[in-house]
Amino acid sequence: MSNSITRWHYITVGGSILAWLVFAFVYCGITTSRDRNENVYFVIYVLMSTFYFYFTLLLVPAVSLLGDFIYQGVERWFFPYDYQIVQEIHRHESDATKADHLEIENELTPQEARSYAI
């Protein structure tokens, strides 16, 4: 379930960025007879030829997420939920011990297991 959610998240985020860029190109390409300065509408083409545009394109999401990460870190450190406390208690345990807690037994004979594997 979470894999499909992650995939749809990537599709929606990437799609919204792509839709904004397409809109910017189309909007900047439209000129009318009432334009006072024709160069204003072609700004996106000049802007995208600079280093600052791509630097800002990477910097803005990173800085925006930084505040969220700091908030989550402070909240987890000073005001943790009960499940986060349990996670911290068990964080140094290896994953192999967690499999022992499951009450699932293999009731297949070696012959059945081999046939299912094939």
Side-chain angles (χ1 to χ4, degrees):
M1 176 78 180
S2 69
N3 191 14
S4 66
I5 292 172
T6 304
R7 179 185 48 188
W8 284 111
H9 175 74
Y10 289 140
I11 290 171
T12 56
V13 169
S16 68
I17 293 170
L18 184 65
W20 180 84
L21 288 173
V22 168
F23 167 77
F25 275 111
V26 171
Y27 184 75
C28 290
I30 296 174
T31 58
T32 64
S33 60
R34 295 182 181 226
D35 294 339
R36 286 184 263 158
N37 187 358
E38 293 179 19
N39 294 333
V40 171
Y41 291 97
F42 294 104
V43 165
I44 190 71
Y45 301 107
V46 175
L47 182 64
M48 289 187 70
S49 67
T50 64
F51 165 76
Y52 298 111
F53 174 79
Y54 296 100
F55 179 70
T56 305
L57 196 64
L58 296 174
L59 185 68
V60 166
V63 171
S64 300
L65 289 173
L66 183 65
D68 190 42
F69 292 150
I70 290 172
Y71 173 76
Q72 287 179 359
V74 167
E75 182 183 44
R76 186 175 177 112
W77 186 264
F78 293 108
F79 311 105
Y81 290 108
D82 293 338
Y83 75 91
Q84 292 172 332
I85 295 170
V86 173
Q87 285 175 343
E88 291 296 323
I89 291 171
H90 296 289
R91 115 181 121 155
H92 295 295
E93 295 178 1
S94 67
D95 288 339
T97 60
K98 293 178 184 175
D100 297 338
H101 297 300
L102 298 175
E103 297 179 8
I104 299 173
E105 296 180 14
N106 186 5
E107 298 176 1
L108 298 176
T109 64
Q111 179 66 25
E112 291 173 330
R114 195 171 329 130
S115 68
Y116 285 129
I118 293 174

